[in-house]
Amino acid sequence: MSFSVTILGSNSALPTSDRYPTAQILRVSERFFLIDCGEGTQMQMRKNKINFSKIHHVFLSHLHGDHIFGLMGFISTLGLLGRNKKLTIHAHPDLKDLLEPQLAYFCEDLPYAIEYKDLTFDSPKIIYEDKKVIVESLPLSHRIPTCGFIFREKPKEPNIRKEAIYKYNLGIADIVSIKNGESFYDDKGREVDMNKLVIPAPKPRSYAFCSDTRYFRKIIPAITGVDLLYHEATFLHELKDLAKSSTHTTAKQAATIAKDANVGKLIIGHFSSRYKDLTPLKNEAMEVFENVDLALDNQQYFIE
Amino acid sequence: MSFSVTILGSNSALPTSDRYPTAQILRVSERFFLIDCGEGTQMQMRKNKINFSKIHHVFLSHLHGDHIFGLMGFISTLGLLGRNKKLTIHAHPDLKDLLEPQLAYFCEDLPYAIEYKDLTFDSPKIIYEDKKVIVESLPLSHRIPTCGFIFREKPKEPNIRKEAIYKYNLGIADIVSIKNGESFYDDKGREVDMNKLVIPAPKPRSYAFCSDTRYFRKIIPAITGVDLLYHEATFLHELKDLAKSSTHTTAKQAATIAKDANVGKLIIGHFSSRYKDLTPLKNEAMEVFENVDLALDNQQYFIE
């Protein structure tokens, strides 16, 4: 089952020809979540062969243009494609007032409904849940109210070993209770080693998206142990004062967060367009935390 | 002196990964005019190394999303680049009401002014003029009020031949009057052949942009004889009924307009995304009018 992030845009506010503003697709098996929606999102989705009809939830970290100027085009295109299923947008409550006049003018015959789910910015909160995935908002610290998002697979049940079904003559009730982790006793009353009964479920995977934010250590408990952390790293640390005044993070700071939160891997992004070559940002981060990748447009990052 | 059109987006409402929604740059020597501003315009401008600061006038044919969803990103980026010169947007009067609330929210510190120039849609009208260029609006026939635009170089003065200056001992007053086309007489009172005095000015060049529109023959007088005509050709003629009902044009119809207006060259664009291969559209047009090119993203078309 696939768990991957596709970067649609990796740059900060001034896009370049090959680094679009922020947007990502998180894929969790057959679920596709759109995270932020910078200008050009729909074209990047085409480039990455993302099926538009599979997106039902959009998560917008904050209402700065470079994170949402692709939204009208995306919404309009969904309508032209004949969508009829509801689209849910998780965003700051201001979004509705900003969007509705435009929708009324440009998309008057939109064949599907838009549901607005208001984010709150005081503490982490579960904002989405289905059978397989939980999404949690994670307040960040930026010029305006901003949330990161943590996507977690729910724990899966272990699979019963086929040979065990025959050996111990397991009925449905047995299987259900074993899958629930309850002990099983053979016909001689001996407890059977769980490893002989089940193939353990894979560890649930997790992804945290943290952009835009100043260096904000308060997020560490919430993201501790995630498999993959995307954290903004707008600047090199030599511009730490600019990072601070513009409420952004340096590569070194992002790596420090990754290290202290003991994450599996760090992807840095939201690069200032002053950096033509991104290698120094990666190198700076790797001095603190080894497992770092650059967010590059149209690249997919898998969690196995 | 360069006179060229750069296609930033060639597709109709549903962009593909390599055919963005409508936007073009018309370059007339050192003037750069932006025509329409579909989503992704600023990234395409980067790709084509267009200098943002050289754009002072934006011409928006109509207020459909695929022609203006790049506007907020473009305006915002100009601000981040520190622009202080006024930007003039020629558009339907509704634009201001649509844009201002977004500007107030997303670009509160915009360091430059936006001037709105309202288009009218009843008859052609000169909407811009400077020392070298005249721009005329050209009402089209589409679902909503829509204007094409005709860009014409002003006639240039001929250049005085250097040898004539010496031969006839021309003073400044002589030169001014010769450049104005007045007859010149040598010291024996004989009228001098103008070709001996001047190198004739190159013929003023012209470009007409016609999108979106149904097959609308009323535009022919206004565009007659232009050097380059961009005309929408959303569909092949086998879909002429769909073209009619959606107020668009077929390739054959666009070519008929080009032929009957006796233009120098036709570029067709605004392609429906149903066409992966655009060759049939070009071939269809060429059956009617020989000099046809496809509008292709990031391609530049020169008028010599």
Side-chain angles (χ1 to χ4, degrees), chain A residues 60-289:
Chain A
L60 301 179
S61 61
H62 64 303
L63 301 186
H64 273 160
D66 57 323
H67 295 253
I68 74 152
F69 283 163
L71 196 57
M72 277 302 298
F74 174 69
I75 288 173
S76 165
T77 286
L78 289 182
L80 292 169
L81 293 172
R83 182 190 184 94
N84 50 38
K85 284 188 182 144
K86 180 180 76 177
L87 180 74
T88 302
I89 306 179
H90 306 260
H92 187 282
D94 285 354
L95 182 71
K96 188 174 178 176
D97 287 347
L98 286 162
L99 214 54
E100 286 294 321
Q102 290 189 73
L103 291 173
Y105 197 92
F106 296 110
C107 307
E108 52 175 350
D109 298 323
L110 208 62
Y112 66 95
I114 293 179
E115 176 187 41
Y116 299 89
K117 291 269 194 185
D118 292 347
L119 293 175
T120 55
F121 299 86
D122 44 357
S123 58
K125 197 173 160 186
I126 291 173
I127 55 173
Y128 171 84
E129 183 167 6
D130 64 28
K131 276 193 339 195
K132 294 193 174 171
V133 182
I134 288 182
V135 185
E136 203 177 316
S137 64
L138 174 62
L140 302 172
S141 178
H142 192 44
R143 268 189 297 141
I144 61 171
T146 301
C147 266
F149 304 106
I150 308 174
F151 299 78
R152 298 180 194 278
E153 280 183 312
K154 287 187 176 175
K156 296 187 188 78
E157 290 180 336
N159 285 313
I160 300 289
R161 293 182 186 276
K162 271 190 191 154
E163 63 271 24
I165 295 175
Y166 297 104
K167 184 169 180 185
Y168 300 106
N169 196 24
L170 301 178
I172 288 180
D174 297 324
I175 289 174
V176 169
S177 75
I178 290 167
K179 275 177 173 265
N180 282 336
E182 291 168 32
S183 299
F184 177 78
Y185 301 88
D186 67 13
D187 50 13
K188 289 181 181 143
R190 293 172 300 200
E191 182 173 352
V192 180
D193 179 359
M194 196 51 93
N195 287 320
K196 290 186 175 163
L197 295 169
V198 301
I199 302 159
K203 179 177 165 283
R205 292 166 290 188
S206 51
Y207 173 64
F209 169 88
C210 298
S211 184
D212 299 4
T213 185
R214 70 176 170 93
Y215 179 49
F216 190 49
R217 297 188 55 84
K218 226 172 142 180
I219 63 174
I220 291 175
I223 62 170
T224 289
V226 297
D227 296 293
L228 183 59
L229 167 66
Y230 170 92
H231 198 289
E232 75 133 285
T234 308
F235 302 109
L236 284 171
H237 203 66
E238 64 191 18
L239 294 181
K240 63 179 186 302
D241 294 340
L242 178 57
K244 192 174 179 183
S245 65
S246 61
T247 61
H248 287 296
T249 308
T250 68
K252 183 180 177 182
Q253 291 167 338
T256 306
I257 296 280
K259 182 183 166 211
D260 293 348
N262 195 26
V263 308
K265 180 177 184 161
L266 169 67
I267 300 176
I268 53 173
H270 198 267
F271 308 115
S272 163
S273 29
R274 79 192 60 209
Y275 303 116
K276 309 296 172 223
D277 174 16
L278 302 172
T279 320
L281 290 148
K282 182 173 177 179
N283 289 345
E284 179 177 289
M286 287 180 71
E287 281 175 25
V288 177
F289 182 78

Side-chain angles (χ1 to χ4, degrees), chain A residues 13-17 19-21 38-44 46-48 63-65 68-74 76-78 80-81 92 94-95 98 101-102 105-108 143-144 273, chain B residues 13-17 19-21 38-44 46-48 63-65 68-74 76-78 80-81 92 94-95 98 101-102 105-109 143-144:
Chain A
L14 286 176
T16 70
S17 60
R19 301 205 316 247
Y20 277 35
E39 183 178 354
T41 291
Q42 60 167 329
M43 283 87 92
Q44 297 289 71
R46 291 271 182 219
K47 193 172 262 178
N48 289 280
L63 301 186
H64 273 160
I68 74 152
F69 283 163
L71 196 57
M72 277 302 298
F74 174 69
S76 165
T77 286
L78 289 182
L80 292 169
L81 293 172
H92 187 282
D94 285 354
L95 182 71
L98 286 162
Q102 290 189 73
Y105 197 92
F106 296 110
C107 307
E108 52 175 350
R143 268 189 297 141
I144 61 171
S273 29
Chain B
L14 285 175
T16 69
S17 61
R19 302 205 314 249
Y20 277 35
E39 183 178 355
T41 291
Q42 61 167 328
M43 283 87 93
Q44 298 289 73
R46 290 272 183 217
K47 193 173 264 177
N48 289 282
L63 301 187
H64 273 160
I68 73 151
F69 283 163
L71 196 57
M72 277 302 297
F74 174 69
S76 165
T77 286
L78 289 183
L80 292 169
L81 293 173
H92 187 283
D94 285 354
L95 182 71
L98 285 163
Q102 288 188 73
Y105 198 92
F106 295 111
C107 307
E108 52 175 349
D109 298 323
R143 270 189 297 141
I144 60 172

Side-chain angles (χ1 to χ4, degrees), chain B residues 140-156:
Chain B
L140 303 172
S141 178
H142 192 44
R143 270 189 297 141
I144 60 172
T146 302
C147 267
F149 305 104
I150 309 175
F151 299 78
R152 298 182 195 278
E153 279 183 311
K154 287 188 177 174
K156 296 187 190 77

